[in-house]
Amino acid sequence: MINVALPKGRLGEKVYKMFAEAGYECPSILENNRKLIFENREKNVRYFWVKPSDVSIYVERGAADIGVCGKDILLEYEPDIYEILDLNMGKCRMAVASKKDFYDNTEKTLRVATKFANIAKKHYASKCRNIDIIKLNGSIELAPILDLSDVIVDIVETGTTLKENDLEVIETIVPISARLIVNKSSFKFKTEEIEKIAQGLKEQVELND
Ligand code: PRP
């Protein structure tokens, strides 16, 4: 049995569709209930719905053989897994944003609000810029508005949240998309099955391109 951790939510639904189109369907997953585990014995596949930021934990520790999560999570937590395929969905970018009138006084420590402390630290370390990280868990856009921070480092997808809060992107750090990740020992012991799934997904990625 191949255990697959899928990110709960809109991205997860699209990702499941891609697995189904690749031949790994599990119709019971579409039933409207609160169940978290679904399996298709005939296809030897079992899906779990997991909080998106937890997918890499399940995969790294082997509770799931494979999973799908955003590149943002991989850059932030640097889990010890193999990243084997870019699914070319869930596309967005990691960016620095601020109020429109923000002026960066480089003599001062920059106050950076973010959920992605590691990504932000690395980004500013590469520019030798002194920063003070303010770790938040959501609604990051509030921070510069209330003068809790000078800038934010956050995901920008459509740009609507920034626009509606009078903020703007001042720098893109890295493009983000969903990735297929694999537990290292599963890759060793279930190579054939995992490569078959990856190949099926790769064909879907190419078809959707
Ligand atoms: C994410 C991100 C931005 C928003 C960007 O937040 O943190 O707030 O989406 O999307 P947009 O560019 O399409 O507006 P999420 O919805 O995950 O909620 P959060 O506030 O809890 O981080």
Side-chain angles (χ1 to χ4, degrees), residues 10 92 115-116 137-141 152-163 165:
R10 209 158 43 93
C92 51
K115 270 196 272 199
F116 301 95
N137 298 300
S139 302
I140 316 295
E141 292 81 1
I152 62 173
V153 166
D154 200 13
I155 298 278
V156 178
E157 190 182 354
T158 59
T160 311
T161 313
L162 291 180
K163 200 166 163 221
N165 290 289

Side-chain angles (χ1 to χ4, degrees), residues 7 19 21 69 130 140 145 158 170 185 190 199 209:
F19 274 82
E21 279 163 0
C69 73
N130 268 338
I140 316 295
I145 298 170
T158 59
I170 51 178
S185 91
K190 301 182 180 176
Q199 183 55 34
D209 205 9

Side-chain angles (χ1 to χ4, degrees), residues 8-205:
K8 211 173 0 178
R10 209 158 43 93
L11 173 66
E13 282 162 27
K14 282 196 208 159
V15 170
Y16 165 70
K17 210 167 152 235
M18 192 180 254
F19 274 82
E21 279 163 0
Y24 297 90
E25 69 278 0
C26 185
S28 59
I29 212 168
L30 300 172
E31 287 165 12
N32 194 11
N33 58 34
R34 304 276 296 166
K35 267 179 77 168
L36 297 171
I37 303 183
F38 301 88
E39 65 182 44
N40 180 338
R41 285 175 180 271
E42 200 187 312
K43 298 279 176 179
N44 258 336
V45 67
R46 183 192 289 137
Y47 295 103
F48 326 133
W49 289 123
V50 169
K51 193 169 179 217
S53 53
D54 289 343
V55 168
S56 67
I57 301 172
Y58 281 78
V59 174
E60 182 176 33
R61 292 180 173 264
D65 299 300
I66 64 177
V68 171
C69 73
K71 182 70 179 173
D72 52 331
I73 300 299
L74 302 179
L75 292 169
E76 179 62 20
Y77 299 107
E78 302 180 356
D80 189 18
I81 47 83
Y82 295 128
E83 177 191 330
I84 63 166
L85 183 65
D86 183 344
L87 296 179
N88 207 20
M89 57 167 63
K91 284 180 156 182
C92 51
R93 56 185 166 142
M94 186 64 64
V96 181
S98 67
K99 288 209 293 199
K100 289 183 176 155
D101 57 2
F102 171 67
Y103 161 75
D104 189 5
N105 178 353
T106 50
E107 282 170 12
K108 279 188 167 176
T109 299
L110 186 72
R111 297 169 306 157
V112 182
T114 188
K115 270 196 272 199
F116 301 95
N118 190 28
I119 294 175
K121 275 183 199 158
K122 283 196 166 168
H123 174 66
Y124 285 105
S126 75
K127 299 161 73 121
C128 298
R129 181 77 169 91
N130 268 338
I131 61 163
D132 178 14
I133 292 277
I134 300 159
K135 174 87 171 63
L136 297 177
N137 298 300
S139 302
I140 316 295
E141 292 81 1
L142 268 178
I145 298 170
L146 301 178
D147 198 30
L148 175 63
S149 76
D150 300 306
V151 298
I152 62 173
V153 166
D154 200 13
I155 298 278
V156 178
E157 190 182 354
T158 59
T160 311
T161 313
L162 291 180
K163 200 166 163 221
E164 292 190 355
N165 290 289
D166 290 320
L167 303 174
E168 66 183 5
V169 168
I170 51 178
E171 207 181 346
T172 291
I173 300 178
V174 65
I176 304 289
S177 57
R179 308 295 163 100
L180 179 66
I181 62 172
V182 182
N183 171 270
K184 287 191 163 173
S185 91
S186 301
F187 200 56
K188 205 160 160 192
F189 297 109
K190 301 182 180 176
T191 319
E192 207 177 301
E193 298 95 313
I194 291 174
E195 280 186 342
K196 206 169 151 215
I197 296 176
Q199 183 55 34
L201 294 172
K202 189 162 177 262
E203 283 163 17
Q204 291 306 313
V205 172

